[in-house]
Amino acid sequence: MAYTLSTAFAIYFVIWWVTLFLTLPFGVRSQHEDGVGAPGTDPGAPIASRMGIKLIWNTVISAVVFGLGMLAYDAGYLSIERLSKLMGMPY
């Protein structure tokens, strides 16, 4: 069964969204850790979140994960029949 373009985009979007939550905490320093901060702000607030770099890395990581998944699917390693046998469930 081949993916349509909309199905592939939906799967990529879900992978992108999950990897976003995985990449958000990396490299964030709080005001408390650096000892700086404006009065009246939360000490746990980040100094510089660098969202642009994180979005680029997130796109690259999710594209690699999606590509590996598509290669595994095309090679026959990922299929409903194979996964159901691994889980011990009837198809």
Side-chain angles (χ1 to χ4, degrees), residues 5-84:
L5 187 60
S6 60
T7 303
F9 179 75
I11 291 171
Y12 177 77
F13 180 74
V14 170
I15 292 172
W16 188 90
W17 197 253
V18 170
T19 57
L20 176 65
F21 288 111
L22 294 174
T23 57
L24 278 178
F26 290 106
V28 175
R29 304 235 356 125
S30 68
Q31 294 178 8
H32 177 70
E33 290 172 335
D34 280 353
V36 296
T41 60
D42 190 292
I47 294 173
S49 62
R50 300 182 307 163
M51 282 302 294
I53 297 293
K54 288 184 183 185
L55 292 176
I56 291 170
W57 272 108
N58 184 51
T59 303
V60 169
I61 292 169
S62 59
V64 169
V65 170
F66 179 76
L68 290 174
M70 286 300 293
L71 285 174
Y73 179 77
D74 288 339
Y77 294 118
L78 289 177
S79 66
I80 297 297
E81 295 86 10
R82 187 175 177 100
L83 292 175
S84 64

